[in-house]
Amino acid sequence: MSDRGTVGRAVFDGAFGERVRALLRVRPVADAADNVARQSWGANWYDVSTLALAAIDSVIARQGFDDEVTYDDVVTGLRALAGTARPERPDEEHGQVAQYVVDALLNRKEREAPYRYPTSVFSRDEGGAVRHREVPAEFRLLTEHEDHARGVNVLRASTDAINALVGGLEFDVEDEQAAIELMLARQLERGAFGQAEKAAERSRLLSVRYADELRTLLADTARDIRTVVDQWADQVPKQLERNRSHLEDRLAAEARLLEHVRGALDSPDNGVSVAGAAARIAGLLEECRHRHTELHGRLVSARTIFLDEQTRQSFRPAAGLRNPNITDDVFLPLLSLPADVALEPAETFAMLIAGPQVPRMVRLADLIDDLLAPRRGTALEEPVPDEELGAPEPPAVPREVLEAAAEVVDAVELPARLSALLTAARSADLPAGIERDAVERIIALAVLWSYAPESVEDFSTATDAAAQVLGPTAAVDADGTPLNLAGWSGDDLIIAADEEALASWAMTFSVAGHNDRKPL
């Protein structure tokens, strides 16, 4: 760095990067406003920034309730605003503007992927020299989720949208909400109803974020308890107790504020403007109280949800990971059943195969990829004459390597981890001419194939090779344990002789408890 220039010390502070990241969260809206000129309606000025903020506010207003807004709901609302701003323009153009704004907030141009911007982080080493590293800032503004109860897709605002686009940076929700309610009470006492209305709106937004944090935790718990078990062991119980105490304080404070506001509504000395502001404040406080009451119920049942999910996920049998034999395991048993008994599974199978219902989360890009895929071969193509066929290609993996890998696996007592098999391959006495690296690779590939088979051209050959190495009934599962072995990374998978042995191991682990688990 040049000695002639100076910069503030804040740029080297650890929190400076968070301030930069918070500032970047408004960039998608700014980019959308800058790109208006490239649209067919770009010559007719529309305030995209205001429309974007209105879209986020409309999503937040119903977020967490049973009637969350859909994409069409937000587009319809923005179309009305665009029509009010430019009444001389056709309604079709107003709809295009509304869709442009919502699509920008969803980042549909990038298939709704998170926004990603590079940021610079500066620091000083012990000698005072300035160091630089690049850290990506990744976030979303609006996201699309399927509402299974209503059968529609709904929009939700992310924490970044609530913080950055509605006036906040990184803050503690509990402290912020308590401070706002104190400020609101003082504003009501001195009759500053205009300022009090802004504070009440801010309190409503904080309630949305507060509920969203708990919803995310419970959703992760229901999806896979292993991803949050460490949080439940230490952080979450304290957080739930703190949240409960905070909500009780908020409900009591909101009751006092509502009583104060209703007193202002009943007072004959206040004018029409004060009465209108007081009515709006009362509505915002009622919504906050409704959200907090509902959230308090979720907090009360949170521990029960954790225990239920722990029981459901820990004691369920290990899922079968091998493909069934369609002929012997499915069709022949089905054909041997009476017609009235076989009707229901046959209809269910046909519906799942045919797909009578279009998925809700449809992506145009996926449809285009399918349409552009190469044409599949048909039965009408003439077969190649036998005389034109060349010599058969040699197998991708020599038979000797497969046999050596199978001997290594047979020498290890199953169930065992992938790391144990690879370690045994490194120390095994292999036949002359067999490369040790090749044996390691084929063992790892056989385990990975048994865990998650891929759709390849020669599926049966890959399946037979995996069965030759691990055994025809081998079963594989994962529990999140990392593979700590030089030259390898990923999960340290568990290999058992069959699914029954794998389920027995899983049951033993579940009864023993997570903390008592020992490596295989």
Side-chain angles (χ1 to χ4, degrees), residues 155-426:
L155 301 183
R156 290 175 185 161
S158 67
T159 302
D160 297 297
I162 297 174
N163 284 346
L165 297 184
V166 195
L169 297 176
E170 297 296 335
F171 48 77
D172 182 82
V173 178
E174 298 174 358
D175 294 341
E176 183 82 0
Q177 201 160 35
I180 285 178
E181 287 178 354
L182 285 175
M183 180 176 63
L184 179 58
R186 296 191 60 182
Q187 290 167 344
L188 292 175
E189 289 177 358
R190 68 172 189 266
F193 286 92
Q195 298 177 2
E197 184 178 353
K198 297 177 182 178
E201 173 68 19
R202 177 67 174 169
S203 181
R204 179 180 71 89
L205 298 174
L206 291 172
S207 299
V208 173
R209 181 189 169 185
Y210 203 61
D212 196 59
E213 290 177 351
L214 179 62
R215 181 188 62 80
T216 301
L217 174 65
L218 296 180
D220 292 341
T221 301
R223 185 181 301 109
D224 188 352
I225 198 172
R226 293 177 297 183
T227 62
V228 293
V229 67
D230 292 336
Q231 299 179 38
W232 277 99
D234 182 27
Q235 306 170 12
V236 175
K238 300 176 183 177
Q239 177 185 343
L240 293 179
E241 182 63 27
R242 188 176 66 250
N243 292 350
R244 185 190 61 79
S245 177
H246 172 75
L247 287 177
E248 291 176 353
D249 293 342
R250 298 287 69 72
L251 288 170
E254 285 157 2
R256 293 193 299 269
L257 292 172
L258 276 171
E259 183 179 355
H260 196 135
V261 173
R262 287 169 182 153
L265 285 172
D266 297 336
S267 175
D269 299 332
N270 294 327
V272 177
S273 61
V274 172
R280 290 190 293 272
I281 293 172
L284 292 171
L285 290 174
E286 284 285 3
E287 180 181 341
C288 289
R289 187 167 69 169
H290 176 69
R291 288 182 181 274
H292 287 160
T293 302
E294 181 179 317
L295 182 58
H296 189 272
R298 293 184 186 180
L299 281 173
V300 172
S301 61
R303 296 178 185 272
T304 304
I305 292 176
F306 169 74
L307 294 175
D308 291 344
E309 289 300 328
Q310 185 182 41
T311 302
R312 182 182 69 86
Q313 298 182 36
S314 297
F315 291 94
R316 65 184 177 187
L321 299 174
R322 295 190 62 83
N323 293 325
N325 186 312
I326 298 298
T327 302
D328 297 336
D329 298 338
V330 179
F331 285 135
L332 291 181
L334 181 66
L335 293 175
S336 64
L337 295 174
D340 55 341
V341 177
L343 180 62
E344 182 178 355
E347 288 183 345
T348 303
F349 176 79
M351 290 180 61
L352 293 175
I353 291 297
Q357 296 180 347
V358 178
R360 293 289 178 185
M361 304 294 284
V362 180
R363 296 290 182 269
L364 178 61
D366 296 338
L367 174 61
I368 294 175
D369 290 342
D370 292 340
L371 293 176
L372 295 179
R375 178 182 299 177
R376 297 179 181 178
T378 63
L380 298 178
E381 296 178 355
E382 295 184 1
V384 180
D386 292 341
E387 59 270 17
E388 295 183 6
L389 294 175
E393 295 182 0
V397 181
R399 179 175 55 85
E400 295 77 10
V401 175
L402 291 174
E403 293 175 352
E407 291 178 2
V408 171
V409 175
D410 292 339
V412 178
E413 183 180 357
L414 299 181
R417 293 195 177 274
L418 175 59
S419 58
L421 298 182
L422 297 177
T423 302
R426 293 183 177 183

Side-chain angles (χ1 to χ4, degrees), residues 463-477:
T463 303
D464 293 341
Q468 182 177 348
V469 174
L470 302 179
T473 62
V476 181
D477 198 3

Side-chain angles (χ1 to χ4, degrees), residues 44-59:
N44 308 305
W45 183 82
Y46 291 89
D47 188 354
V48 170
S49 300
T50 298
L51 293 177
L53 184 58
I56 293 176
D57 280 340
S58 65
V59 172

Side-chain angles (χ1 to χ4, degrees), residues 86-220:
R86 289 289 178 268
E88 72 279 3
R89 302 300 303 169
D91 185 64
E92 181 181 359
E93 181 177 289
H94 300 153
Q96 293 174 353
V97 174
Q99 290 181 358
Y100 172 79
V101 172
V102 181
D103 289 349
L105 295 175
L106 287 168
N107 198 17
R108 283 196 164 175
K109 180 178 64 174
E110 300 295 336
R111 303 187 183 185
E112 299 190 16
Y115 291 101
R116 184 182 177 90
Y117 301 104
T119 64
S120 293
V121 176
F122 296 95
S123 60
R124 292 186 185 274
D125 58 18
E126 296 180 355
V130 177
R131 303 296 182 187
H132 169 267
R133 59 190 176 95
E134 188 175 290
V135 178
E138 195 172 279
F139 60 91
R140 300 177 188 268
L141 295 179
L142 292 185
T143 54
E144 205 169 8
H145 303 265
E146 185 170 356
D147 187 339
H148 299 282
R150 296 163 57 194
V152 297
N153 291 339
V154 298
L155 301 183
R156 290 175 185 161
S158 67
T159 302
D160 297 297
I162 297 174
N163 284 346
L165 297 184
V166 195
L169 297 176
E170 297 296 335
F171 48 77
D172 182 82
V173 178
E174 298 174 358
D175 294 341
E176 183 82 0
Q177 201 160 35
I180 285 178
E181 287 178 354
L182 285 175
M183 180 176 63
L184 179 58
R186 296 191 60 182
Q187 290 167 344
L188 292 175
E189 289 177 358
R190 68 172 189 266
F193 286 92
Q195 298 177 2
E197 184 178 353
K198 297 177 182 178
E201 173 68 19
R202 177 67 174 169
S203 181
R204 179 180 71 89
L205 298 174
L206 291 172
S207 299
V208 173
R209 181 189 169 185
Y210 203 61
D212 196 59
E213 290 177 351
L214 179 62
R215 181 188 62 80
T216 301
L217 174 65
L218 296 180
D220 292 341

